[in-house]
Amino acid sequence: MLKAVGITVGVVAVLGLIAGLITWGVLASRGPPPPDPPELIPLDWWQHCVLYQIYPRSFKDSDGDGIGDLQGIISELEHFVDAGVDAIWMSPIFKSPMVDFGYDISDFYDIHDEYGTMEDFQELLEKAHELGLKVLLDFVPNHASNESEYFIKSEARDPEYEDFLVWADGLPDPDNESNILPPSNWVSQFGGSAWEWSEKREQYYLHQFAIQQADFNFRKQAVKDEMINIMRFWLDKGADGFRVDALPYLIEADPADHGGRYPDDPLSGRTEFESHQLGYTIPLYTKDLIELYDVVCEWRDFADEYLEEYGGDTRVLFSEGYANVSMTMLYYGLGGNLNGAHFPFNFDFITDLSRDSTAPDFVYIILRWLTYMPYGGVPNWVFGNHDNNRMPTRFRDNMVDGLNSLNMLLPGVAVTYQGEEIGMKDGYVSWEDTVDVEACNRGDEDTYHLYSRDPARTPYHWNNSTSAGFSTSEDTWLPVAEDYVTLNLAQQKIDDRSHYKVYQALTQLRKEETLSHGEYDIRALSERTLFLVRSLSTHDTLVLLFNVSEDSDTIDLGRVTHLTLPATVYVASIHSARNSGAVIENSELTLQSGEALVLRAPPV
Ligand code: FRU
Ligand code: MG
Ligand code: CA
């Protein structure tokens, strides 16, 4: 069964069919002539882009302080052009005490000094735009640093800011008169109570993340106005849009609906957790509240109005949040409308698939997104980010090319986390070197590795020189992973076959209309192997075959829809015995563990 990617394709296909039938009727006696190429409606810049996440602290250090910075990014902008990337999004570059490495912002209108200046940012934008790259910023609306003006003024009950954050009185402690308990049992994402006592204000404030990240009060219009001001400020500077952080936590239950107090989250009943640990409660009143989607829609209105007012290219909003499929799809918009974020990031490859997944698991999880997505929505595929173990570590080394092939051949936006184009794995970070607030709060010397996000944040491997070419200093903010000597970009540019060369071939292939406009069919051929077919009338058919298992597998290509043999190998995973250009004539084909082939076949 084939599913149309959007209206465009559907309408075009129908018109094509009618035209085809008429022509066929006239010329039937001489056999059907080749159909006319379909007329394709051009896509907006973001709808089929390759989007690359930069973790600025670890991308490239220009001044030798061991910390990545904006000039470092500027010096490597050509890398994106070379790799075939269309747009970059940067984790936060704003002024921050760096408790959560930039997700604790103290000034939303300024650049963090370790990263550079506003002039550096302007230069980055200008040079990126000259190269045809779009630049997205990370917008962090849920919380501000406790060193921000918002916090300082709110804590001091400055009338303008008094309710800017979520403040509440404590509860009397029946066991201890001199003690004041937190307003509710809510647990922070980083462990411990989500409430912190302020001596100064003699009230608790809410922090769904670290103690130093105080939640904004989104029930206050002034807060919503301020968020628009922040977005406008950066759009005025020339940013092309935002990745929007931590949305499921934007709004919490309203005490007005609960007899004037913050209601306790229900207990999960999971006895392995203590009351201060994430998992002890079910986040009924603290996550996925329906009101938050109205705010997202208001932001979309703002982005659309901004475009209308100032022209230029679409300013986009890509929303971030881990939620079940129905709550995730609501970020696209309410009531089946596409009036929310341009898309919510799809984390299914991170949360629902791993080295243990079978080919049917992959197909099922991929189709789940495509099935639940509202009609006309743009899908996207994420394989890793700064919050999760790296892609080859969660899967297997030999799956890197197959996973990048899936990313590039599936319909919609391909998202790459820095390093995935060269197959970077988690770096080892000892307890002594660990700096991630989540690991430090939730873990100890024995358990920190279960929570630490540092391994996915170690510096980028440019080459095999000092600190992998990331910095001239040997002392980097996180250690460089040891495998940089052999696993680095410079080496992969030299090698005959490399993850990087496969990545380049794939981004090049994305320019074909079959991938931007074609239909898709994805199925498991066995427990081990799946196929993804992309097809478009009059265009070559492109087929990915991918053995996701640990064993070899013999498949029957006769079962692959739309594939006519002989087909040619366009690109193969680096360990494959088959080279680009190899011709596949037999329908019986054996794929080794992790082997992936992208085939090109004539139009059907
Ligand atoms: C995504 C994330 C984390 C950060 C948190 C709070 O979940 O960006 O990296 O710690 O949100 O901003
Ligand atoms: Mg630096
Ligand atoms: Ca919140």
Side-chain angles (χ1 to χ4, degrees):
M1 171 190 46
L2 292 166
K3 293 205 182 78
V5 170
I7 294 189
T8 326
V9 178
V11 170
V12 166
V14 170
L15 291 177
L17 191 68
I18 294 168
L21 285 174
I22 294 169
T23 332
W24 184 79
V26 174
L27 301 172
S29 52
R30 279 181 266 152
D36 288 337
E39 233 176 81
L40 303 173
I41 295 178
L43 299 178
D44 200 354
W45 72 263
W46 58 275
Q47 293 178 311
H48 190 242
C49 70
V50 176
L51 174 65
Y52 187 103
Q53 178 187 356
I54 296 178
Y55 194 69
R57 216 172 168 76
S58 295
F59 191 63
K60 177 89 182 187
D61 172 24
S62 72
D63 58 359
D65 65 353
I67 296 169
D69 44 55
L70 297 186
Q71 281 300 333
I73 298 172
I74 292 170
S75 71
E76 297 293 354
L77 284 173
E78 289 284 351
H79 172 57
F80 304 117
V81 180
D82 189 61
V85 164
D86 306 296
I88 52 178
W89 75 267
M90 296 182 284
S91 279
I93 55 173
F94 317 109
K95 199 166 175 343
S96 164
M98 293 290 156
V99 171
D100 192 15
F101 295 106
Y103 286 97
D104 51 321
I105 301 174
S106 53
D107 187 346
F108 285 71
Y109 298 94
D110 205 357
I111 302 290
H112 180 64
D113 53 1
E114 287 170 317
Y115 296 162
T117 62
M118 194 60 86
E119 288 66 46
D120 293 326
F121 175 67
Q122 291 286 13
E123 185 184 335
L124 191 160
L125 266 184
E126 214 169 284
K127 296 205 163 142
H129 286 161
E130 272 167 28
L131 292 170
L133 298 163
K134 299 282 192 228
V135 179
L136 274 61
L137 291 171
D138 203 326
F139 173 44
V140 186
N142 182 63
H143 44 258
S145 162
N146 60 343
E147 294 184 23
S148 66
E149 290 279 292
Y150 308 124
F151 186 87
I152 294 166
K153 291 184 171 166
S154 195
E155 189 179 39
R157 293 188 188 271
D158 176 323
E160 209 182 315
Y161 292 93
E162 185 164 359
D163 303 328
F164 238 65
L165 306 172
V166 182
W167 292 98
D169 292 332
L171 301 177
D173 183 347
D175 300 329
N176 178 355
E177 246 181 51
S178 59
N179 198 26
I180 307 168
L181 294 173
S184 69
N185 69 350
W186 297 353
V187 184
S188 148
Q189 291 307 298
F190 295 156
S193 170
W195 296 99
E196 181 71 7
W197 179 252
S198 158
E199 273 306 334
K200 187 159 185 190
R201 179 156 157 159
E202 298 195 320
Q203 272 191 313
Y204 280 94
Y205 69 85
L206 179 71
H207 61 90
Q208 292 238 44
F209 292 87
I211 290 171
Q212 297 87 344
Q213 292 165 298
D215 276 50
F216 282 112
N217 176 7
F218 270 89
R219 300 193 185 277
K220 192 123 171 105
Q221 187 57 40
V223 168
K224 295 205 221 168
D225 294 345
E226 182 64 9
M227 295 301 140
I228 298 284
N229 286 341
I230 294 166
M231 283 195 280
R232 185 192 305 281
F233 177 85
W234 293 105
L235 292 185
D236 285 350
K237 298 237 173 266
D240 298 294
F242 303 95
R243 172 262 189 193
V244 190
D245 183 65
L247 280 169
Y249 305 95
L250 201 69
I251 298 187
E252 297 76 23
D254 189 349
D257 300 331
H258 299 274
R261 62 155 287 188
Y262 285 98
D264 280 341
D265 270 333
L267 304 187
S268 68
R270 293 175 62 179
T271 47
E272 70 268 38
F273 297 115
E274 294 174 35
S275 62
H276 63 93
Q277 288 177 310
L278 200 58
Y280 182 75
T281 57
I282 296 167
L284 179 66
Y285 297 121
T286 42
K287 185 172 179 270
D288 300 331
L289 269 74
I290 198 72
E291 292 103 308
L292 81 86
Y293 298 94
D294 294 328
V295 180
V296 176
C297 292
E298 286 169 23
W299 291 340
R300 174 59 180 269
D301 286 345
F302 162 71
D304 289 351
E305 284 160 17
Y306 192 95
L307 176 64
E308 217 160 282
E309 195 171 338
Y310 298 100
D313 293 341
T314 304
R315 313 307 194 286
V316 291
L317 299 175
F318 300 153
S319 68
E320 190 251 13
Y322 297 79
N324 68 32
V325 69
S326 28
M327 299 320 278
T328 299
M329 291 304 162
L330 288 180
Y331 289 103
Y332 276 110
L334 297 170
N337 298 311
L338 295 172
N339 60 345
H342 289 81
F343 62 68
F345 279 108
N346 172 359
F347 295 133
D348 291 349
F349 276 95
I350 296 175
T351 54
D352 287 62
L353 295 168
S354 71
R355 59 173 65 237
D356 300 322
S357 304
T358 63
D361 292 336
F362 273 80
V363 172
Y364 176 74
I365 292 300
I366 290 165
L367 285 175
R368 184 175 66 187
W369 188 279
L370 295 167
T371 306
Y372 280 87
M373 184 177 67
Y375 182 70
V378 172
N380 73 94
W381 315 94
V382 181
F383 289 76
N385 58 33
H386 63 294
D387 287 330
N388 293 282
N389 297 99
R390 284 181 167 278
M391 173 250 265
T393 304
R394 298 192 326 275
F395 292 92
R396 275 189 307 275
D397 285 2
N398 70 7
M399 293 174 75
V400 167
D401 302 312
L403 293 170
N404 280 336
S405 301
L406 265 178
N407 196 7
M408 296 298 166
L409 267 73
L410 281 165
V413 172
V415 186
T416 294
Y417 176 54
Q418 80 180 32
E420 278 170 9
E421 74 277 30
I422 55 172
M424 270 181 71
K425 295 174 262 189
D426 278 1
Y428 170 70
V429 184
S430 69
W431 172 239
E432 288 69 36
D433 285 340
T434 293
V435 290
D436 176 23
V437 59
E438 180 169 5
C440 297
N441 285 2
R442 295 180 69 187
D444 56 28
E445 185 159 3
D446 299 321
T447 57
Y448 77 98
H449 63 277
L450 298 173
Y451 311 105
S452 182
R453 299 171 296 174
D454 289 336
R457 299 174 176 183
T458 60
Y460 188 86
H461 299 180
W462 294 100
N463 55 47
N464 66 1
S465 69
T466 304
S467 291
F470 160 69
S471 174
T472 52
S473 170
E474 283 184 13
D475 195 12
T476 53
W477 79 282
L478 275 178
V480 175
E482 279 176 11
D483 57 4
Y484 81 91
V485 184
T486 48
L487 199 170
N488 62 70
L489 178 67
Q491 186 61 46
Q492 294 197 15
K493 285 185 176 177
I494 297 168
D495 290 345
D496 279 347
R497 295 175 79 161
S498 67
H499 297 314
Y500 187 63
K501 286 192 171 162
V502 172
Y503 187 90
Q504 281 181 310
L506 292 166
T507 55
Q508 184 62 32
L509 190 65
R510 275 176 78 81
K511 302 203 168 102
E512 295 197 16
E513 287 166 335
T514 306
L515 293 188
S516 57
H517 289 77
E519 304 188 38
Y520 66 84
D521 190 18
I522 180 164
R523 301 185 205 191
L525 286 168
S526 65
E527 282 289 296
R528 298 175 186 172
T529 302
L530 61 84
F531 73 75
L532 166 63
V533 171
R534 299 300 309 275
S535 58
L536 182 65
S537 166
T538 74
H539 291 62
D540 284 353
T541 297
L542 299 168
V543 177
L544 167 66
L545 304 168
F546 184 17
N547 175 354
V548 300
S549 81
E550 277 184 286
D551 304 293
S552 69
D553 193 23
T554 299
I555 54 169
D556 172 10
L557 292 182
R559 287 178 50 204
V560 179
T561 51
H562 284 243
L563 175 64
T564 46
L565 295 179
T568 320
V569 174
Y570 171 75
V571 69
S573 52
I574 60 173
H575 301 109
S576 169
R578 295 158 180 111
N579 290 306
S580 299
V583 178
I584 307 282
E585 292 184 69
N586 295 331
S587 59
E588 188 180 291
L589 183 85
T590 301
L591 292 173
Q592 301 307 315
S593 165
E595 184 168 358
L597 301 178
V598 177
L599 306 182
R600 179 191 288 286
V604 268

